[in-house]
Amino acid sequence: MQIIDDNTVVVNNSEEFKKALSEENDYNYIYLGNDITLTSGFTINANKKNLIIDGTYNNVKYTYTNNLNESSDVIEASTSNRKITLKNMNIISSHTYGIVYVPSHPNYSNLSVEYNNINFSGVELSCNYYGITKIIDSLISGSDTNGVTVKKVCDSNRILIGGNTTITSNSNTNPVFFFNDVIPSYIKIVPNSNVNITTNKELMNGTNRLDLTVGHGSEFLLTTGNGFAITTTHGARNVLIEEMANFTFIEKSHQRVPMWNVFGDLKVLEGASLSVINTYMNTPTDNYNIYFKGSNQKFILDNPKYINIYTKNANVVYTNNPVEFSFKFSRINMWIYALDYLNACTLDDTPAFYWYKEDTPAEITGIFNKDSTTITSHNFTDSELISSTDINSFTLQGIKILTIGMLKINIHPITDSINSISGHTIPYANVKIEYSNKAFTATADKDGLFEVNIDAIVPDNTRVKVTSCLNSCYTERKVTVPFMGELTLLKVTENIPFSMTPLSSNPIVLHKKNKTVITVIDSRVNSTNWKLYINFTNPMIDSSGKVLIDSLLFKKFDNESFKLTTNKKLVYESSTNNGNVGVSNITFSTDKGLLISPTKDLLEDEDYSTMIIWSIEE
């Protein structure tokens, strides 16, 4: 055993490992100095409140192995331990009580076990029935090991997953997670994370009081064989998809329960994306994508960027009890018949019903139950409804596909001096151009540019319709020839995470992790300078609602800085495009553009967020 200081030690074998962790000493930081295979179990000393076990020493990453099978042959937590962290190591285990066993008792409710930068292969990662399991930047494989059949990845009550984490379960009988039926019970995807969970069975079992939160700016891909829960009585309670988060949930096979039982409220916030896709083409009519099974429930879509709920034969949503819905959206599309998944929602498979507003989000509220949908309010004008479906057709019964999303389009000038029709939209979108009983199709390139050649000039006063389609979302634009081009804010960097490494220390200024790019298309024949503005909807707030006042800065290219407010401020001004199509990618490096200068100390493991608004004016 190598002692580094009073609190830090390097262990090289199982006996040294056991001695450092179980005996009365001040060692709270334990390095592995060699691969270690556990030879007998032990209990962590009760005085170790915050314990770190680090598998990397002198830049060598070591492996911890436990192939024992007696219930006592495992690392066991004490009730007075508060946080146990295992990091930077490989782990192989066939022990069915997990890596750190936390007994099933409420006295362990405040104990957190974190697995950080772990490469795990084994039958069970965590057994922490009442406490918190945290998995960060790890590669987790639940698989048969040393002749022992894989169990669940986690038996836990609260699970946080963050960083770049992949979890795969190869079990043919068990779900990925099992939860005690106690409150609070949750899965939280940490903001700005990239999480991928794959199983041929289900995600969870054990409760219908599980809260699921997908933190803002995160990407969460869940692929299951049989859906969210094993039984009809278990599933999610409240579901929250935060701003700019992206949750994709895919079911590949089928069992005789709905894909996703929800017993509380389902909320998708502004700029977020939700996909609930059943790719099993022979699913029966009662395998609903989302089954609202509670009482006094709410289904809230608060201006999400993207929604895609697809099933071949069932209904996308269902309930036996009244559910209040409040939808704020760019454009909503509904299909009452579904083609096979790979062929659905193309330019040739347009929706049966759709509603949208040109410049502001549409809003529809109401109540739906088993047999009917009642609209209590909407913000469409009579003239807007002329170009959409009859509002009385809005229903959540009998819908096989529901999507939300609006693709940006900039149409280039159409005059008597051109022999093509072109424009910009979202990269790789499919585009259809229609006029005078003629139709042309094109695919946008990686920059969003599309173009079709035409056999003759388009006569004046001709109405030209341009439709852009990608990922089951549509946008239609109609212009009258001659058309002299337009100014469009095509896309912006949507999620802007910050580094905790200060750019400067007096005052403290935090820089962005990535550059920010704003793409503007100016196709106006008679162009003038345009201006780019920025503001926010409100100051940054934490998860409890506490406000960080005057903490967001903006540094312009000339190094002028100002505090962001709800009032828009000029950050960039263009020059004329001289009558040509201009594509401007305004790029702010990590030390320019948005910065944070906190007006008070930031809390550890807390997340602060706000919505940024970019706008352009001629």
Side-chain angles (χ1 to χ4, degrees):
M1 184 183 296
Q2 176 187 349
I3 299 173
I4 296 178
D5 57 37
D6 291 345
N7 302 115
T8 310
V9 67
V10 183
V11 297
N12 295 285
N13 55 54
S14 181
E15 287 307 308
E16 292 180 357
F17 188 52
K18 178 178 180 179
K19 183 176 181 180
L21 270 73
S22 65
E23 294 185 359
E24 188 73 32
N25 55 57
D26 293 325
Y27 303 144
N28 290 311
Y29 203 112
I30 316 295
Y31 283 107
L32 303 189
N34 208 335
D35 293 338
I36 290 181
T37 299
L38 196 69
T39 57
S40 63
F42 58 86
T43 299
I44 297 172
N45 189 277
N47 291 326
K48 298 185 186 296
K49 307 297 184 184
N50 189 348
L51 173 66
I52 297 174
I53 306 171
D54 193 332
T56 297
Y57 185 66
N58 286 337
N59 296 316
V60 179
K61 189 174 185 178
Y62 294 107
T63 300
Y64 168 79
T65 302
N66 183 359
N67 285 329
L68 304 174
N69 52 30
E70 294 295 326
S71 61
S72 60
D73 286 332
V74 70
I75 303 171
E76 183 172 331
S78 297
T79 55
S80 56
N81 300 147
R82 285 297 171 261
K83 185 176 182 180
I84 301 168
T85 301
L86 296 88
K87 67 180 190 176
N88 308 326
M89 70 175 72
N90 304 313
I91 299 176
I92 300 171
S93 176
S94 59
H95 202 287
T96 57
Y97 276 19
I99 308 308
V100 175
Y101 171 59
V102 182
S104 179
H105 194 282
N107 286 349
Y108 295 87
S109 297
N110 294 321
L111 176 56
S112 170
V113 181
E114 177 176 329
Y115 300 88
N116 195 316
N117 189 25
I118 295 297
N119 191 330
F120 168 83
S121 178
V123 301
E124 180 157 350
L125 174 71
S126 176
C127 194
N128 187 5
Y129 296 106
Y130 280 85
I132 299 172
T133 297
K134 191 172 183 179
I135 306 171
I136 306 294
D137 285 322
S138 294
L139 182 62
I140 309 297
S141 175
S143 54
D144 297 350
T145 304
N146 192 36
V148 181
T149 302
V150 59
K151 294 182 65 181
K152 309 167 189 70
V153 171
C154 290
D155 281 295
S156 193
N157 190 41
R158 288 160 284 172
I159 299 176
L160 292 95
I161 311 173
N164 291 310
T165 294
T166 297
I167 299 174
T168 303
S169 173
N170 295 310
S171 175
N172 293 317
T173 56
N174 293 313
V176 182
F177 302 136
F178 179 83
F179 294 89
N180 282 328
D181 191 22
V182 295
I183 295 177
S185 180
Y186 60 68
I187 297 173
K188 291 183 179 180
I189 307 299
V190 177
N192 301 310
S193 300
N194 192 330
V195 175
N196 188 333
I197 299 179
T198 303
T199 175
N200 288 325
K201 299 301 290 183
E202 303 83 17
L203 176 67
M204 57 78 65
N205 193 25
T207 186
N208 60 13
R209 298 189 286 183
L210 172 75
D211 288 345
L212 172 64
T213 300
V214 183
H216 76 259
S218 58
E219 299 271 344
F220 179 26
L221 172 59
L222 170 62
T223 305
T224 71
N226 295 339
F228 198 85
I230 288 180
T231 72
T232 59
T233 56
H234 292 155
R237 183 178 60 169
N238 295 318
V239 177
L240 177 62
I241 316 301
E242 294 185 342
E243 294 90 347
M244 304 301 174
N246 185 345
F247 177 32
T248 300
F249 175 19
I250 298 172
E251 179 181 281
K252 300 184 300 182
S253 303
H254 167 65
Q255 66 162 328
R256 295 298 304 185
V257 298
M259 180 174 173
W260 192 7
N261 295 318
V262 176
F263 294 85
D265 296 343
L266 195 164
K267 298 179 182 180
V268 185
L269 301 187
E270 186 168 4
S273 298
L274 171 66
S275 298
V276 185
I277 309 294
N278 189 333
T279 61
Y280 184 68
M281 293 299 95
N282 295 315
T283 186
T285 57
D286 61 351
N287 192 28
Y288 318 110
N289 292 61
I290 303 172
Y291 192 166
F292 289 94
K293 301 198 70 174
S295 58
N296 300 315
Q297 291 181 268
K298 293 180 174 62
F299 184 16
I300 298 172
L301 304 177
D302 187 12
N303 199 22
K305 176 186 176 183
Y306 178 67
I307 299 288
N308 188 357
I309 311 177
Y310 170 93
T311 178
K312 179 69 188 305
N313 301 314
N315 293 337
V316 292
V317 296
Y318 184 81
T319 183
N320 281 315
N321 301 309
V323 175
E324 293 183 29
F325 68 90
S326 176
F327 293 172
K328 184 178 181 181
F329 55 88
S330 52
R331 169 172 164 149
I332 192 167
N333 310 291
M334 297 178 178
W335 287 255
I336 55 177
Y337 300 103
L339 298 179
D340 285 358
Y341 180 62
L342 295 178
N343 299 319
C345 308
T346 65
L347 286 171
D348 297 320
D349 180 38
T350 54
F353 310 136
Y354 60 91
W355 294 267
Y356 67 93
K357 292 172 72 73
E358 287 286 354
D359 300 317
T360 58
E363 297 182 32
I364 299 179
T365 63
I367 299 173
F368 75 95
N369 53 39
K370 178 180 179 181
D371 300 312
S372 64
T373 298
T374 302
I375 295 176
T376 55
S377 68
H378 66 79
N379 67 343
F380 291 105
T381 65
D382 291 340
S383 60
E384 287 172 331
L385 290 173
I386 293 175
S387 59
S388 298
T389 310
D390 182 351
I391 194 65
N392 294 314
S393 298
F394 189 96
T395 181
L396 294 173
Q397 284 75 34
I399 302 301
K400 302 297 184 292
I401 311 172
L402 185 152
T403 71
I404 285 176
M406 183 81 85
L407 311 182
K408 292 289 187 71
I409 301 177
N410 178 284
I411 301 175
H412 299 172
I414 307 174
T415 67
D416 59 8
S417 63
I418 66 166
N419 58 5
S420 65
I421 297 178
S422 60
H424 278 82
T425 185
I426 302 302
Y428 308 113
N430 295 310
V431 179
K432 179 182 284 188
I433 299 167
E434 300 170 273
Y435 65 92
S436 301
N437 296 319
K438 297 179 180 181
F440 305 87
T441 58
T443 301
D445 67 12
K446 62 181 178 60
D447 299 315
L449 175 65
F450 64 88
E451 184 174 18
V452 298
N453 294 321
I454 55 178
D455 51 12
I457 64 171
V458 183
D460 287 354
N461 299 315
T462 300
R463 194 75 163 156
V464 177
K465 177 182 175 183
V466 180
T467 304
S468 178
C469 171
L470 183 69
N471 295 334
S472 308
C473 291
Y474 299 79
T475 293
E476 299 174 1
R477 288 284 310 285
K478 295 176 182 177
V479 299
T480 301
V481 178
F483 179 71
M484 308 308 287
E486 57 189 339
L487 180 66
T488 305
L489 178 57
L490 190 70
K491 59 182 178 179
V492 300
T493 300
E494 295 179 339
N495 184 46
I496 306 177
F498 286 85
S499 172
M500 289 303 293
T501 303
L503 184 64
S504 65
S505 57
N506 189 22
I508 293 176
V509 176
L510 306 179
H511 62 85
K512 305 187 299 294
K513 290 185 176 180
N514 308 301
K515 64 183 179 182
T516 304
V517 182
I518 299 93
T519 301
V520 177
I521 310 296
D522 186 0
S523 63
R524 296 171 296 166
V525 171
N526 300 312
S527 156
T528 56
N529 292 2
W530 52 264
K531 297 171 182 172
L532 176 67
Y533 294 88
I534 190 172
N535 65 287
F536 58 46
T537 55
N538 51 258
M540 290 194 300
I541 58 174
D542 66 16
S543 58
S544 66
K546 295 180 180 178
V547 178
L548 270 180
I549 299 174
D550 291 338
S551 292
L552 266 179
L553 303 178
F554 195 96
K555 181 184 282 189
K556 298 166 66 172
F557 291 122
D558 61 4
N559 290 324
E560 177 192 352
S561 298
F562 59 84
K563 296 283 184 76
L564 257 66
T565 69
T566 55
N567 297 319
K568 63 185 181 182
K569 294 277 287 186
L570 177 67
V571 296
Y572 177 83
E573 185 170 357
S574 78
S575 56
T576 177
N577 67 7
N578 296 316
N580 301 311
V581 175
V583 180
S584 299
N585 290 304
I586 304 104
T587 303
F588 295 99
S589 59
T590 57
D591 60 348
K592 294 285 177 68
L594 282 169
L595 303 171
I596 292 179
S597 180
T599 52
K600 60 181 180 181
D601 291 339
L602 301 180
L603 299 176
E604 184 180 0
D605 292 331
E606 185 55 87
D607 183 61
Y608 303 86
S609 64
T610 188
M611 289 293 295
I612 297 296
I613 299 173
W614 301 91
S615 57
I616 54 174
E617 292 182 4
E618 299 184 27

